[in-house]
């Protein structure tokens, strides 16, 4: 009797190991966030595998959206944008040791392209007239920082992050270009299902456009502060 029970136990353990290995060999690694051990997730996997579908870890991302931001100096009138566009491309890296359980994990986000265009409308009031002008700001940067990802069910993901974003900012005024290296911080959250989602993030930092001050276009030599909000569509692949 005891030998029979022992034999059944050994067979059960071997079956469990083979079951998990079968998922792993078909494109669903144990560290994918849907590992063997949760009956609900295994049931979802069974239904997916029955139709020939496999889980894909979509950690590459593209953000496309619009930005609302302003540009300010101490004791100087703030410039507010009337149009802004942003694109970001990157990837989340999550080694196995970053997983807390089947549904939660930490990650490192690396954004190798972070672009934002901002347009400002400016009015100069003179005794006899009002002169209107448009200025443009082109920001090119990268981002890196920690993130936290929750995948409560198959395909649905909540992604919160905080990143450091060194940026080269090019300010265009009256057909002249003025550049500066700046230091920015970015924090945000997005919700996605499979390949598409939506998100929002805040971005703030400072630049020092020394050429603008030397040409008399800035009132002080102090740093110029930027802050804004982005809303975007997210594409996972």
């Amino acid at each position: 009797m005891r030998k029979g029970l022992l034999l059944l136990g050994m067979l059960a353990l071997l079956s469990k190991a083979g079951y998990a290995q079968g998922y792993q060999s078909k494109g669903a690694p144990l560290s994918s966030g849907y590992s063997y051990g949760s009956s609900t997730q295994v049931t979802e996997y069974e239904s997916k595998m029955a139709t020939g579908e496999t889980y894909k870890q979509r950690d590459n991302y593209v953000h496309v959206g619009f930005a609302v931001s302003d540009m300010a100096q101490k004791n100087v009138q703030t410039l507010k944008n009337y149009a802004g566009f942003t694109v970001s491309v990157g990837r989340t890296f999550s080694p196995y040791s970053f997983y807390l359980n089947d549904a939660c994990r930490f990650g490192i986000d690396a954004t190798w392209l972070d672009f934002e265009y901002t347009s400002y409308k400016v009015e100069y009031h003179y005794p006899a007239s009002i002169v209107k002008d448009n200025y443009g700001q082109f920001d090119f940067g990268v981002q890196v920082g920690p993130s936290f990802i929750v995948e409560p069910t198959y395909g649905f993901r909540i992604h919160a992050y905080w990143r450091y974003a060194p940026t080269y900012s090019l300010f265009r005024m009256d057909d002249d270009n003025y550049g500066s290296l700046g230091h920015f911080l970015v924090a945000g959250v997005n919700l996605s299902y499979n390949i598409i989602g939506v998100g929002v993030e805040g971005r703030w930092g400072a630049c020092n456009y020394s050429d603008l001050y030397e040409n008399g276009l800035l009132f002080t030599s102090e740093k110029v502060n930027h802050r804004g909000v982005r809303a975007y569509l997210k594409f996972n692949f």
Side-chain angles (χ1 to χ4, degrees):
M1 182 69 177
R2 290 182 179 179
K3 291 183 178 179
L5 291 174
L6 181 60
L7 180 60
L8 288 174
M10 291 177 66
L11 288 173
L13 288 174
L14 290 173
S15 299
K16 179 177 178 179
Y19 190 61
Q21 187 176 5
Y23 282 137
Q24 201 167 13
S25 65
K26 293 183 179 181
L30 293 179
S31 60
S32 66
Y34 293 90
S35 65
Y36 188 91
S38 169
S39 59
T40 302
Q41 291 168 345
V42 169
T43 301
E44 291 173 349
Y45 254 139
E46 288 174 341
S47 63
K48 295 291 182 182
M49 295 301 291
T51 59
E53 297 182 47
T54 57
Y55 178 76
K56 182 178 180 181
Q57 190 84 337
R58 302 180 187 275
D59 282 339
N60 296 292
Y61 56 82
V62 175
H63 298 174
V64 179
F66 67 90
V68 178
S69 61
D70 58 45
M71 173 179 174
Q73 267 191 310
K74 188 177 181 180
N75 301 322
V76 179
Q77 182 181 1
T78 299
L79 297 181
K80 295 185 179 294
N81 80 320
Y82 75 94
F85 174 76
T86 179
V87 176
S88 299
V89 180
R91 178 177 174 83
T92 300
F93 296 90
S94 293
Y96 179 76
S97 58
F98 282 24
Y99 282 77
L100 299 180
N101 53 43
D102 289 347
C104 302
R105 60 187 168 106
F106 289 99
I108 299 294
D109 291 357
T111 302
W112 29 80
L113 170 63
D114 180 35
F115 170 76
E116 179 177 316
Y117 169 73
T118 302
S119 181
Y120 301 96
K121 281 186 176 181
V122 183
E123 292 185 354
Y124 296 99
H125 294 261
Y126 298 100
S129 64
I130 298 177
V131 177
K132 297 182 179 181
D133 205 348
N134 292 328
Y135 300 151
Q137 179 183 333
F138 301 83
D139 288 353
F140 303 87
V142 296
Q143 301 177 3
V144 62
S147 63
F148 185 69
I149 298 170
V150 179
E151 296 173 287
T153 187
Y154 186 90
F156 180 69
R157 175 180 296 187
I158 304 169
H159 184 177
Y161 55 88
W162 180 93
R163 304 170 188 157
Y164 168 62
T167 301
Y168 179 77
S169 181
L170 184 67
F171 193 78
R172 184 169 177 80
M173 176 185 289
D174 299 331
D175 296 327
D176 293 320
N177 299 318
Y178 304 92
S180 170
L181 290 175
H183 302 277
F184 287 78
L185 296 175
V186 177
V189 63
N190 56 65
L191 309 176
S192 60
Y193 184 76
N194 285 338
I195 65 171
I196 194 167
V198 294
V200 63
E201 66 184 19
R203 177 176 177 266
W204 63 99
C207 298
N208 191 342
Y209 301 99
S210 56
D211 291 341
L212 284 172
Y213 175 69
E214 291 171 1
N215 285 274
L217 301 175
L218 287 178
F219 293 103
T220 74
S221 61
E222 294 187 15
K223 64 183 179 181
V224 177
N225 295 307
H226 298 277
R227 59 184 180 182
V229 176
R230 297 168 169 178
Y232 57 85
L233 288 175
K234 181 185 183 186
F235 300 94
N236 304 310
F237 59 96

